[in-house]
Each structure stands twice: as structure tokens, then as C-alpha cells.
């Protein structure tokens, strides 16, 4: 019954993720699908009546074990703004799919499980098994993804203007806890599987901050920005005036942004931002009109810049934050005055 509840909860969270697809990364969707399928496998194992049914359920369960660690690593990289090269992505997916093919041979050869025995208990059916060489490869990949994710997270903590320390700590801790529980299960040889409960609780905890992160990310809205990113600066601020990120040109125009911490209130003094943009942003935020836009100009070191303030809206209904666009219009001004 516990596994069925976990399965239902994950399906519900998957629906939430799909409903917020514009604010979600595909790695999160992939992870949630893997966990939902795996939770269904745990339930199927618990109610299985014979060895064949239990083996099939175990194969479904390994969708979590094989694909979830890779997805968590990708999620951590995305949160920390660390880009995984396409060739590396291809290698990871290829390796995990080959590994899952070996999982599918359970019961037919000894590559993944050498022996399998079926048992029924009051808490549900379970298997006892001895492991083959490919299971060792599986454990190695599990540890590598966990270590790699922890390293990316810890290294990125020095880039406080890009990442939220709280979210990085939470993701690394969640990943390490899940792997730790898995290893405890294997050493203690528990009859009841803890992984579906663990993954479901951790996903319940992480779903809100993950949606929050991707909602405000300038990278989430890249389709609307990509044509203008090269010659315009973008700064994203939440509704309660917390710094949520910028693009490279925005940081070049306002170097102090490199010192600002992601998810924290805008500093009250110092820097070009507070000199030229803070007051216009404060005035604009008081309007509370979702379709409103405001433009203005300022001069700095003989150059003329134009800024545009607009609202960041969720599904066009309510204001979640503000986008500040900045562009250099010096040449246009000279042409008009010429």
C-alpha cells in the first residue's frame, strides 16, 4: 500500500511539472517520469505472486536506479549553470541505455543477477539475489554521478551571483541521501524497500524550489531572448525585488552583479544599477500592471543607454517578477542629432 501511495504522489507531481512545463527543465521531467515508473515497479513487486512477475517488476524498478542518478546530475548542472557538452550527454544516455538493456536480461543470464529467489512476506513479496558483473558497473555509475553532482554543486557555491546556496545544498544533500539509503538497504538486506519513499519525499521537498528556479531563469526564456541576447543586457528580478539572474552583457554593463547573491534582495546602495536603474524599477513595481512597460535613458562615460522595464507573468495572469532590458543607443542618438 505504501508503494501505491508513493506511485500516486509521483503521478500527481508529474502532472504539476507538466502544467508548469515553461518553467521546468526537461531533466526534471525525465527524472520525475523515471521515479514514477520505478515507484510503480515497487508496487508491482510487492503484490507479485511468482518469480516471473517479481523479475518483471524488478526490471521496471531499475528505471529509477539507472536513469534517476543521471537526471539528478543534469539537474544540478542546470541549477549551477554548468553546461554539459552534447557529446557528454550522448555518452551518458548511451551508457545508461546499454546498462538498462543488461537489466532487461535478468532471469535469462548471469550478467546482472547471478541468482534470484522469490519470497512472500506479510509486508509484500521480495527477491533475494546475488549480483553479477554488470551490477557492479551499475553501482560505479551511481557513485560517479553522485560524486560529480556534489563536485559541481560545491564548486559552483563560489559563484554566488549564479546559484542559490540553499538550493545547491538541498540538491546535493538529497542526492547523497538517496544513494546512502540505497547502500544501507543493500548492506542491511532489508525486506522493505526504502527508495520509493525516500525519492517521493525528496521530490515533494524539491519540486517547489525547482519550479521557482526555472521560472526566473533567463535561460528558461531563451526562445524569446536568443535573438537579442548578443546586443542587449537582461536582468531578471522577482516580484519582491530579489536578484534572479542576468545575461553576460547585463553583467558587463553592471559589474557589481557578479557580487550579488542569487535569490537575495537587491543591495540598497553602490554600483551602476543603484545609480541608474534602482529608482525606475521601484517606481515601476508600484504600478502592479501586468502589461505595463516603461522606457528611459541614462548616460555613462559618454555612452547613451536605453532601458525597458516589463513584467514577467505566469501564463499571462499574474506578475511573478520584472525584466530589465538595456541597450546601447549612442549611435542612434548621434544620428538623430546629426
Amino acid at each position: 500500500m505504501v508503494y501505491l501511495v508513493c506511485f500516486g504522489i509521483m503521478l500527481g507531481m508529474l502532472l504539476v511539472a507538466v502544467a508548469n512545463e515553461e518553467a521546468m527543465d526537461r531533466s526534471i521531467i525525465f527524472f520525475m517520469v523515471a521515479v514514477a515508473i520505478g515507484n510503480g515497479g515497487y508496487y508491482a513487486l510487492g503484490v507479485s505472486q511468482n518469480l516471473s512477475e517479481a523479475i518483471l517488476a524488478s526490471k521496471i524498478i531499475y528505471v529509477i536506479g539507472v536513469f534517476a542518478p543521471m537526471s539528478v546530475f543534469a539537474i544540478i548542472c542546470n541549477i549551477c549553470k554548468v553546461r554539459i557538452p552534447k557529446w557528454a550527454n550522448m555518452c551518458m544516455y548511451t551508457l545508461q541505455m546499454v546498462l538498462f538493456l543488461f537489466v532487461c536480461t535478468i532471469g535469462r543470464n548471469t550478467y546482472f543477477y547471478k541468482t534470484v529467489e522469490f519470497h512472500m512476506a506479510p509486508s509484500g513479496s521480495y527477491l533475494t539475489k546475488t549480483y553479477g558483473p554488470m551490477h557492479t558497473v551499475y553501482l560505479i555509475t551511481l557513485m560517479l554521478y553522485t560524486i560529480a553532482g556534489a563536485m559541481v554543486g560545491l564548486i559552483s557555491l563560489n559563484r554566488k551571483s549564479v546559484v542559490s546556496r540553499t538550493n545547491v545544498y538541498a540538491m546535493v544533500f538529497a542526492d547523497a541521501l538517496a544513494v546512502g539509503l540505497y547502500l544501507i538497504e543493500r548492506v542491511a538486506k532489508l525486506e522493505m524497500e526504502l527508495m520509493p519513499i525516500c525519492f517521493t519525499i525528496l521530490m515533494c521537498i524539491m519540486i517547489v524550489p525547482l519550479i521557482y528556479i526555472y521560472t526566473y531563469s533567463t535561460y528558461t526564456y531563451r526562445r524569446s531572448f536568443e535573438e537579442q541576447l548578443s546586443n542587449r543586457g537582461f536582468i531578471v528580478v522577482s516580484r519582491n525585488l530579489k536578484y534572479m539572474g542576468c545575461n553576460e552583457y547585463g553583467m558587463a554593463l553592471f559589474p557589481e552583479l557578479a557580487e550579488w547573491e542569487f535569490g537575495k534582495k537587491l543591495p540598497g546602495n553602490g554600483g551602476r544599477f543603484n545609480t541608474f536603474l534602482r529608482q525606475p524599477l521601484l517606481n515601476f513595481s508600484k504600478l502592479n500592471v501586468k502589461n505595463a512597460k516603461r522606457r528611459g535613458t541614462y548616460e555613462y562615460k559618454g555612452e547613451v543607454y536605453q532601458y525597458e522595464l516589463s513584467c514577467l507573468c505566469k501564463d499571462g495572469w499574474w506578475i511573478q517578477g520584472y525584466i530589465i532590458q538595456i541597450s546601447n543607443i549612442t549611435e542612434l542618438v548621434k544620428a538623430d542629432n546629426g
Side-chain angles (χ1 to χ4, degrees):
M1 186 63 182
V2 173
Y3 300 146
L4 182 60
V5 171
C6 291
F7 178 58
I9 291 174
M10 281 307 305
L11 286 181
M13 285 193 291
L14 185 57
L15 290 175
V16 172
V18 172
N20 289 273
E21 59 178 339
E22 286 298 319
M24 298 295 281
D25 182 80
R26 62 185 178 185
S27 299
I28 301 174
I29 303 294
F30 187 76
F31 172 72
M32 298 182 75
V33 168
V35 174
I37 292 173
N39 282 358
Y42 279 110
Y43 174 69
L45 175 61
V47 299
S48 58
Q49 298 298 309
N50 54 58
L51 179 61
S52 296
E53 291 180 3
I55 287 178
L56 178 59
S58 291
K59 294 175 183 178
I60 297 173
I61 287 170
Y62 271 101
V63 172
I64 291 182
V66 172
F67 295 106
M70 177 188 67
S71 301
V72 172
F73 171 66
I75 292 169
I76 292 174
C77 287
N78 287 335
I79 289 175
C80 297
K81 303 297 185 295
V82 174
R83 184 174 176 273
I84 303 175
K86 289 184 178 179
W87 64 266
N89 256 324
M90 183 67 69
C91 289
M92 288 193 302
Y93 277 98
T94 301
L95 174 61
Q96 300 312 108
M97 285 189 287
V98 170
L99 196 56
F100 191 71
L101 288 177
F102 279 100
V103 170
C104 292
T105 67
I106 292 174
R108 297 179 179 274
N109 56 50
T110 60
Y111 291 125
F112 208 85
Y113 286 169
K114 289 182 178 180
T115 61
V116 187
E117 294 181 3
F118 176 72
H119 305 276
M120 296 186 72
S123 59
S125 302
Y126 66 96
L127 295 173
T128 57
K129 54 264 183 183
T130 57
Y131 301 112
M134 291 309 299
H135 190 272
T136 302
V137 175
Y138 157 72
L139 289 178
I140 292 173
T141 63
L142 182 66
M143 296 305 298
L144 287 176
Y145 283 124
T146 304
I147 293 170
M151 289 178 63
V152 169
L154 294 176
I155 291 172
S156 296
L157 288 176
N158 294 323
R159 302 159 62 213
K160 63 182 181 181
S161 64
V162 176
V163 301
S164 165
R165 293 172 181 267
T166 302
N167 290 321
V168 172
Y169 283 136
M171 284 300 300
V172 172
F173 173 76
D175 191 19
L177 180 61
V179 174
L181 280 177
Y182 174 81
L183 296 177
I184 290 172
E185 277 186 13
R186 292 301 171 262
V187 173
K189 297 182 179 180
L190 301 177
E191 292 182 7
M192 184 176 182
E193 300 278 358
L194 300 177
M195 291 302 292
I197 302 171
C198 175
F199 269 119
T200 302
I201 293 174
L202 293 177
M203 201 63 234
C204 287
I205 295 172
M206 291 307 302
I207 184 77
V208 173
L210 285 173
I211 292 176
Y212 179 76
I213 290 169
Y214 285 104
T215 294
Y216 289 110
S217 172
T218 54
Y219 295 89
T220 299
Y221 297 91
R222 60 186 176 275
R223 283 179 292 182
S224 60
F225 289 166
E226 59 185 6
E227 294 180 358
Q228 306 173 60
L229 282 174
S230 60
N231 57 8
R232 286 194 181 186
F234 287 88
I235 303 172
V236 181
V237 180
S238 71
R239 180 170 183 157
N240 52 358
L241 301 183
K242 292 182 179 180
Y243 172 66
M244 303 308 298
C246 68
N247 67 345
E248 291 183 7
Y249 188 54
M251 191 170 292
L253 293 174
F254 301 92
E256 67 270 22
L257 299 184
E259 301 299 321
W260 290 8
E261 187 166 350
F262 181 96
K264 296 294 184 180
K265 283 279 190 179
L266 300 178
N269 50 48
R272 301 176 196 172
F273 182 93
N274 284 305
T275 301
F276 301 115
L277 298 181
R278 183 179 182 83
Q279 196 57 48
L281 174 61
L282 292 175
N283 294 337
F284 181 74
S285 66
K286 293 175 183 177
L287 296 176
N288 199 31
V289 179
K290 64 183 180 181
N291 295 321
K293 289 188 177 182
R294 289 291 184 272
R295 290 188 177 91
T297 60
Y298 67 89
E299 292 188 27
Y300 181 74
K301 291 186 176 181
E303 301 286 308
V304 182
Y305 296 90
Q306 178 178 273
Y307 61 83
E308 179 181 285
L309 299 163
S310 58
C311 295
L312 177 62
C313 296
K314 172 62 178 175
D315 298 328
W317 288 100
W318 52 285
I319 298 172
Q320 286 187 301
Y322 308 98
I323 301 173
I324 308 172
Q325 302 180 39
I326 312 99
S327 55
N328 190 322
I329 59 169
T330 305
E331 296 301 322
L332 292 176
V333 172
K334 288 181 178 178
D336 290 340
N337 295 335

